[in-house]
């Protein structure tokens, strides 16, 4: 475990380093709070052990500096306090991100126990964050392609429709369908089909604007959301997507529609009808939806 210690008293600092090094920790000893902050930013440790008096003498709020840093905030901070530790000060430090207190004088056994406990808590917190991120990925991401899954992309569509209605901004969508995909699975196997899906997904993602979104509707169908794109812009974007799909060794058919005041479901239905028209016309082509509803504001 990596530990940073900041203490103004050379004797105390030396003892802490000796004890923690003896039990196998990698220790960096520093004389000022400013040095400790710099060291933690350069290479965030598992635990920071700092004398609160040193912080006051330096005129720096080490706790706030560390917890406000995008990397160093993960370090567990243990404050070395005097025997007259004030309750209000302790509560304030805990709410500010301190992990624990050590009240001097500190025995060797207590030093090791508290530092180890702080380090273990830090590891458990990181594991919890990592697990939460994994669960979030499962909820919102299509495992095979890495794109937004059906639930996520349709949720985004509803949000974009609401935004377009509120701000009177254009919005278009495009449904992309891989042509003859069943034949790929039947003739080359599902592993080959998965590779094609991943390749097409990557091409779609790379050929959209930063503000656009793309997700997998299911099977071999993808949905691209094109905010601030009117009909000409949507037609251009759809044709670009059709062309880029060819680099994955397949062709795609695309149906697009521009929002005309209807619900998200109606917008998606019109794009789907345009997709069927593209397939009926011979595939490997783009078709736009006809305007079928009056514009609502």
């Amino acid at each position: 475990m990596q530990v940073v210690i900041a203490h103004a008293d050379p004797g105390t600092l030396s003892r802490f380093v000796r004890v923690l090094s003896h039990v196998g920790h990698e220790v960096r000893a520093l004389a000022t709070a400013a040095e400790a902050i710099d060291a933690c930013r350069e290479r965030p440790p598992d635990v920071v052990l700092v004398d609160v008096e040193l912080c006051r003498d330096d005129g720096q709020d080490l706790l706030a500096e560390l917890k406000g840093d995008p990397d160093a905030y993960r370090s567990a901070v243990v404050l070395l306090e005097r025997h007259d530790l004030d309750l209000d000060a302790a509560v304030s430090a805990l709410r500010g991100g301190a992990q624990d207190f050590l009240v001097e004088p500190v025995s060797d056994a207590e030093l090791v126990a508290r530092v180890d406990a702080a380090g273990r808590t830090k590891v458990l917190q990181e594991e919890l964050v990592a697990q939460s991120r994994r669960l979030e990925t499962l909820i919102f991401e299509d495992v095979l392609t890495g794109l937004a899954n059906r639930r996520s992309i349709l949720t985004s569509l509803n949000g974009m429709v609401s935004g377009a209605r509120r701000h009177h901004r254009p919005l278009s969508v495009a449904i992309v369908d891989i042509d003859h995909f069943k034949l790929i699975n039947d003739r080359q196997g599902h592993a080959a089909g998965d590779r094609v899906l991943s390749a097409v997904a990557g091409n779609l993602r790379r050929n959209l604007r930063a503000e656009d979104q793309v997700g997998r509707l299911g099977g071999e169908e993808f949905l691209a959301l094109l905010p601030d794109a009117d009909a000409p812009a949507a037609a251009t974007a759809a044709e670009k997507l059709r062309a880029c799909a060819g680099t994955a060794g397949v062709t795609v058919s695309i149906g697009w529609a521009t929002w005309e005041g209807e619900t998200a479901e109606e917008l998606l239905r019109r794009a789907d009808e345009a997709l069927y028209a593209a397939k009926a016309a011979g595939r490997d082509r783009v078709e736009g939806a006809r305007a079928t509803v009056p514009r609502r504001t």
Side-chain angles (χ1 to χ4, degrees), residues 127-173:
E127 290 178 351
L128 182 61
V129 170
Q131 184 178 21
S132 297
R133 288 174 178 166
R134 287 193 294 270
L135 290 173
E136 183 177 351
T137 297
L138 291 174
I139 294 172
F140 298 109
E141 185 178 292
D142 177 64
V143 176
L144 175 62
T145 63
L147 300 180
N149 61 21
R150 181 183 179 87
R151 174 187 294 180
S152 179
I153 197 67
L154 292 182
T155 298
S156 295
L157 172 59
N158 278 288
M160 286 190 183
V161 167
S162 295
R165 179 175 289 110
R166 183 167 56 252
H167 301 295
H168 306 287
R169 304 290 298 177
L171 168 68
S172 296
V173 301

Side-chain angles (χ1 to χ4, degrees), residues 41 61-74 77 96-97:
R41 285 174 173 163
D61 189 342
L62 181 144
L63 190 58
E65 291 281 348
L66 292 182
K67 294 306 174 181
D69 187 270
D71 296 314
Y73 80 91
R74 297 183 178 90
V77 179

Side-chain angles (χ1 to χ4, degrees), residues 177-185 220 251 279 282-283:
D177 186 277
I178 300 175
D179 296 327
H180 304 297
F181 184 73
K182 185 177 183 300
L183 292 178
I184 298 174
N185 281 334
E220 65 272 25
T251 64
K279 286 189 170 293
R283 294 183 170 84

Side-chain angles (χ1 to χ4, degrees), residues 78-267:
V78 178
L79 299 179
L80 285 158
E81 283 280 3
R82 302 298 180 264
H83 64 85
D84 57 348
L85 172 62
D86 178 74
L87 176 60
D88 291 337
V91 171
S92 177
L94 289 171
R95 289 176 177 172
Q99 181 69 48
D100 200 358
F101 294 97
L102 273 171
V103 178
E104 295 188 295
V106 181
S107 69
D108 292 354
E110 185 180 13
L111 173 66
V112 172
R114 293 293 184 85
V115 169
D116 282 4
R120 286 195 299 272
T121 300
K122 182 248 187 185
V123 170
L124 290 173
Q125 289 173 337
E126 289 186 335
E127 290 178 351
L128 182 61
V129 170
Q131 184 178 21
S132 297
R133 288 174 178 166
R134 287 193 294 270
L135 290 173
E136 183 177 351
T137 297
L138 291 174
I139 294 172
F140 298 109
E141 185 178 292
D142 177 64
V143 176
L144 175 62
T145 63
L147 300 180
N149 61 21
R150 181 183 179 87
R151 174 187 294 180
S152 179
I153 197 67
L154 292 182
T155 298
S156 295
L157 172 59
N158 278 288
M160 286 190 183
V161 167
S162 295
R165 179 175 289 110
R166 183 167 56 252
H167 301 295
H168 306 287
R169 304 290 298 177
L171 168 68
S172 296
V173 301
I175 301 178
V176 181
D177 186 277
I178 300 175
D179 296 327
H180 304 297
F181 184 73
K182 185 177 183 300
L183 292 178
I184 298 174
N185 281 334
D186 291 344
R187 294 174 179 177
Q188 302 178 43
H190 288 281
D194 288 349
R195 288 192 294 272
V196 168
L197 286 169
S198 296
V200 170
N203 287 344
L204 296 178
R205 184 165 42 206
R206 286 188 293 272
N207 284 275
L208 288 170
R209 303 169 301 172
E211 62 268 32
D212 298 333
Q213 294 187 37
V214 60
R216 185 182 177 192
L217 281 179
E220 65 272 25
E221 280 194 348
F222 302 88
L223 174 63
L225 308 182
L226 311 171
D228 290 321
D230 56 14
T236 300
E239 185 57 40
K240 181 179 180 181
L241 296 179
R242 185 201 63 78
C244 81
T247 62
V250 294
T251 64
V252 298
S253 299
I254 301 177
W256 62 267
T258 298
W259 181 70
E260 297 180 348
E262 73 268 51
T263 65
E265 291 77 11
E266 291 169 339
L267 174 61

